[in-house]
Amino acid sequence: MTTDDTKAETRFFGLAVSPGIARGTVHVVRDEAEDVARYHIEPSEIANEIGRFETALIQTRAQILEMQQKIAEAIGAKDAGIFDAHLLVVEDRTLIDEVLRRLEGDLCNVDYVFQEVAKHYADTLSKIDDPYLRERALDIQDVTRRVVRNLQGKAQKAFLALSDPHILVAHNITPSDTATMDRKQVLGFATDLGSRTSHTAIMARSMNIPAVVGLHNATEKLETGHEVLVDGYNGLLILNPTPDTLWHYGELKHRKEQVAEQLTGLRETKSTTRDGRHIVLSANIELPNDVESVAQNGAEGIGLYRTEFLYLNRATLPTEEEQYQTYRKVAEHVAPHPLIIRTFDLGGDKIACGMEAFDEQNPFMGLRAIRFCLENLDIFKAQLRAILRASSTGNLKIMFPMISGLDELRRAIGVLDECKAELKRERVAFGSATEVGAMIEIPSAALCADALAREVDFFSIGTNDLIQYALAVDRVNERIANLYEPAHPAVLRLLKMVSDAAHRHDIWAGVCGEMAGDLTMVPLLLGLGMDELSVSASLVPRVKRVVQSLSIPECEKLVTAALELTTPAEILARCTEVARQHYADLIS
Ligand code: PEP
Ligand code: MG
């Protein structure tokens, strides 16, 4: 451990995204794209490495061809021609032979060797004063990234394979990186980029890893080996904490542990308000293993299973059978409680292998979620068939993300019906009574909620996106995080519209975005008539305590008052007042 006691304490201010305090030695990652681990191999392993290399080249070639075809269909063959140069790279004999030669000479893993050789080529070309050759250097870099990613498949990036406990400080961490983090080694993390509702932050909360994001330039100021403290409650990264600071944090940790201890007693209790209204309190999960934490924290099933995480961190798509097995196990685990499976929400900040090729200008407004699935029916149908088959066991419900209007919803339900008909023809067993819901996370869906409510069994409001689209605030951009305001009067009105429309049509409405776990906002959601709240499993005990300490009439009074207010600050102040009155210890 490198501690520099002579240095003064320095504080970096960011956004608190995952509660907890972590102290340890920093590992800084500045450019994760370059982060390929080098490890020794035995001569007997060379053949295996060559096999991996060949598979990755074939896979890369197939991906480029597929991309070319899609681009040709979308914008014409001329533009798709730019990928011819990429194909030449994966077929370049000189480059391939050089890799094979070095593999035998250096005796290290092929991902590392390939990256080194390709980098040498690209560097040489980029130094030549010829625009054509400089372009080719960029092609090589692009293809290199793709080949390395295919080579790594499920393998981890070097910084995710560190074997000593550390605090990870990175420019950015993707949601899939977070999903593969080793909780025992990553004590906490801090990033330059990011915001509260990014999927990286959501994953950190799910995994109970203290995290601070949006620090702007932490990677420039810190070095591997520095001693730091991550304060995931207040959004602070403290370099060289003084003994006084450490004492203060020791106290804070003790207080928080006491509150957590008291909350464990609530596990078997119901989330019922003081006046007897039961609010279904379920958990959000990202990975199948998270299912353990659902009952442990006293949740009533799963209100949002973000299945797209199955897709990240791997080079091949999960098959229908693999998905069926996964969903079935999760459903059995939570039965008789429901498991609400959200169909793949790929795109935005969750990019699966091969998708990066499209490099959209506005990925959150691009080919994401249901739009991506309706364009890729083979992927969509494999998932729907797997869900339908799994639904013969547990209490399974399906919901579609990013529904913008009735046509899209009908198309999605149409594909689901096709899958049912196919399974019937094939005499494959499936549960037919599966409820279908729409996620309401685009303002147009909230505005047309009456029409949508007639055709589904429930609404689940994705406030993370609803707020981003309603206020035009990119949910992962730390520079405008202050504008991301759940208490905005416009958000309040949209939520009211959705809840009212649901109840007019006798269906239930829940909230599965991060707002449901924001303890100050819960009174507002109950006052709006939400029937269900689905939050990160670790937040379930706190939200349960909140629900138990409130009564519906006082929450409705709060909503009536809030609807008269015109600024987010005023609404937030009213909510905070109610929260302080009933559960001050939880929000301090
Ligand atoms: C949301 O948008 O609020 C939501 C629950 O979905 P996600 O965060 O995965 O986009
Ligand atoms: Mg969403």
Side-chain angles (χ1 to χ4, degrees):
M1 220 177 246
T2 326
T3 319
D4 192 348
D5 294 331
T6 57
K7 285 201 179 146
E9 175 176 296
T10 313
R11 293 180 173 224
F12 299 91
F13 297 88
L15 304 165
V17 296
S18 182
I21 293 155
R23 188 187 157 202
T25 311
V26 164
H27 179 86
V28 180
V29 180
R30 295 205 170 82
D31 182 359
E32 64 265 37
E34 300 287 310
D35 189 62
V36 175
R38 179 185 206 269
Y39 54 87
H40 175 75
I41 56 160
E42 297 300 329
S44 58
E45 292 172 300
I46 292 178
N48 186 42
E49 289 299 283
I50 294 177
R52 289 210 303 127
F53 186 43
E54 280 170 354
T55 311
L57 290 179
I58 293 169
Q59 227 172 358
T60 308
R61 192 167 186 281
Q63 287 163 352
I64 298 172
L65 286 171
E66 191 187 330
M67 213 157 61
Q68 226 174 5
Q69 193 191 338
K70 283 195 173 153
I71 290 174
E73 280 163 15
I75 51 178
K78 193 172 122 295
D79 294 295
I82 54 171
F83 289 103
D84 287 343
H86 287 207
L87 285 173
L88 290 180
V89 178
V90 280
E91 288 160 4
D92 187 327
R93 233 18 276 180
T94 328
L95 189 128
I96 295 171
D97 287 346
E98 171 81 9
V99 172
L100 300 181
R101 206 176 48 73
R102 290 256 318 250
L103 194 59
E104 291 190 9
D106 297 0
L107 285 182
C108 66
N109 53 315
V110 73
D111 348 12
Y112 184 80
V113 172
F114 175 72
Q115 173 155 290
E116 288 294 292
V117 173
K119 186 169 181 299
H120 176 71
Y121 266 58
D123 287 351
T124 312
L125 290 181
S126 63
K127 284 190 195 119
I128 301 173
D129 189 18
D130 176 337
Y132 174 79
L133 292 179
R134 274 203 300 273
E135 281 283 310
R136 297 292 72 76
L138 291 178
D139 290 334
I140 294 182
Q141 282 163 3
D142 203 353
V143 177
T144 306
R145 270 194 290 275
R146 188 175 286 279
V147 174
V148 168
R149 215 171 291 125
N150 285 333
L151 267 171
Q152 296 199 315
K154 271 197 280 182
Q156 295 173 338
K157 294 178 183 171
F159 73 87
L160 293 170
L162 293 172
S163 55
D164 288 321
H166 59 280
I167 307 271
L168 190 62
V169 175
H171 184 60
N172 191 22
I173 298 178
T174 67
S176 52
D177 292 340
T178 322
T180 38
M181 271 180 189
D182 180 349
R183 180 67 190 89
K184 283 199 220 73
Q185 308 304 352
V186 185
L187 304 172
F189 73 76
T191 58
D192 292 340
L193 306 184
S195 68
R196 226 192 114 66
T197 57
S198 70
H199 287 96
T200 299
I202 291 171
M203 280 303 296
R205 286 195 282 281
S206 221
M207 298 173 76
N208 283 320
I209 301 180
V212 176
V213 304
L215 287 156
H216 302 288
N217 61 353
T219 49
E220 286 166 28
K221 305 280 179 189
L222 292 170
E223 292 299 336
T224 295
H226 277 156
E227 272 291 295
V228 296
L229 186 142
V230 173
D231 170 0
Y233 296 108
N234 302 299
L236 280 178
L237 179 69
I238 307 178
L239 171 64
N240 296 323
T242 63
D244 262 4
T245 302
L246 292 176
W247 183 85
H248 164 77
Y249 277 102
E251 286 284 295
L252 180 65
K253 203 167 178 176
H254 179 64
R255 269 203 322 272
K256 296 285 180 188
E257 278 165 4
Q258 276 181 328
V259 174
E261 180 72 34
Q262 287 161 10
L263 291 173
T264 53
L266 298 183
R267 187 163 48 217
E268 307 303 332
T269 66
K270 293 252 171 282
S271 49
T272 304
T273 58
R274 281 200 338 261
D275 55 323
R277 166 111 194 264
H278 177 62
I279 306 294
V280 177
L281 179 53
S282 36
N284 296 347
I285 68 161
E286 283 76 41
L287 297 169
N289 284 348
D290 297 343
V291 71
E292 302 289 337
S293 61
V294 176
Q296 262 165 26
N297 285 288
E300 286 176 70
I302 295 170
L304 165 65
Y305 175 11
R306 292 183 163 99
T307 51
E308 58 280 358
F309 279 86
L310 274 180
Y311 253 87
L312 311 176
N313 291 318
R314 51 186 290 162
T316 54
L317 309 179
T319 60
E320 174 187 322
E321 185 58 26
E322 188 183 342
Q323 292 184 61
Y324 161 66
Q325 297 294 353
T326 308
Y327 303 151
R328 193 175 53 86
K329 271 192 220 126
V330 177
E332 275 170 359
H333 208 288
V334 293
H337 294 307
L339 159 63
I340 304 184
I341 297 193
R342 192 252 309 265
T343 57
F344 294 132
D345 179 2
L346 289 162
D349 60 348
K350 285 170 296 192
I351 305 298
C353 189
M355 289 180 74
E356 60 280 287
F358 293 99
D359 196 16
E360 296 176 301
Q361 290 279 330
N362 289 305
F364 273 111
M365 296 214 259
L367 193 64
R368 187 189 157 194
I370 198 68
R371 302 167 180 186
F372 173 84
C373 285
L374 289 171
E375 288 280 306
N376 291 275
L377 285 179
D378 45 344
I379 297 179
F380 193 29
K381 280 179 133 181
Q383 179 173 39
L384 292 175
R385 286 172 55 105
I387 299 175
L388 285 167
R389 286 171 57 198
S391 68
S392 52
T393 36
N395 176 0
L396 234 141
K397 303 175 202 281
I398 300 178
M399 69 182 176
F400 299 118
M402 289 269 290
I403 291 295
S404 64
L406 196 54
D407 284 342
E408 215 165 31
L409 177 65
R410 284 183 175 160
R411 281 184 65 204
I413 294 175
V415 180
L416 181 66
D417 289 341
E418 263 172 54
C419 291
K420 285 182 188 167
E422 276 174 22
L423 290 170
K424 217 182 239 166
R425 265 200 313 277
E426 294 163 22
R427 296 185 197 286
V428 178
F430 66 95
S432 52
T434 317
E435 284 184 27
V436 175
M439 281 193 74
I440 306 294
E441 45 186 352
I442 299 185
S444 58
L447 293 163
C448 299
D450 269 302
L452 300 175
R454 289 190 194 99
E455 315 214 359
V456 288
D457 302 300
F458 64 93
F459 282 158
S460 186
I461 309 177
T463 47
N464 303 338
D465 280 313
L466 187 65
I467 298 169
Q468 118 162 308
Y469 297 126
L471 306 182
V473 178
D474 180 350
R475 64 190 265 192
V476 298
N477 186 340
E478 71 288 349
R479 287 191 290 178
I480 46 171
N482 60 319
L483 300 176
Y484 190 94
E485 291 173 307
H488 196 290
V491 175
L492 177 63
R493 280 163 178 73
L494 289 169
L495 293 174
K496 185 165 177 358
M497 262 177 200
V498 180
S499 174
D500 290 351
H503 297 134
R504 264 195 299 276
H505 297 277
D506 286 331
I507 63 169
W508 62 264
V511 176
C512 63
E514 297 304 295
M515 194 171 170
D518 181 340
L519 303 188
T520 314
M521 290 288 111
V522 172
L524 204 61
L525 299 180
L526 297 198
L528 285 165
M530 298 303 168
D531 305 286
E532 182 233 28
L533 300 176
S534 191
V535 303
S536 165
S538 61
L539 285 175
V540 167
R542 271 168 270 187
V543 177
K544 197 181 270 186
R545 243 280 298 287
V546 169
V547 171
Q548 291 173 343
S549 51
L550 293 166
S551 77
I552 296 295
E554 71 184 327
C555 294
E556 285 173 348
K557 224 165 96 190
L558 170 70
V559 170
T560 308
L563 285 167
E564 295 295 316
L565 302 173
T566 46
T567 66
E570 288 168 311
I571 296 177
L572 184 61
R574 278 296 176 96
C575 296
T576 309
E577 217 174 274
V578 174
R580 285 231 174 88
Q581 202 182 333
H582 295 289
Y583 44 91
D585 57 327
L586 292 184
I587 56 165
S588 61

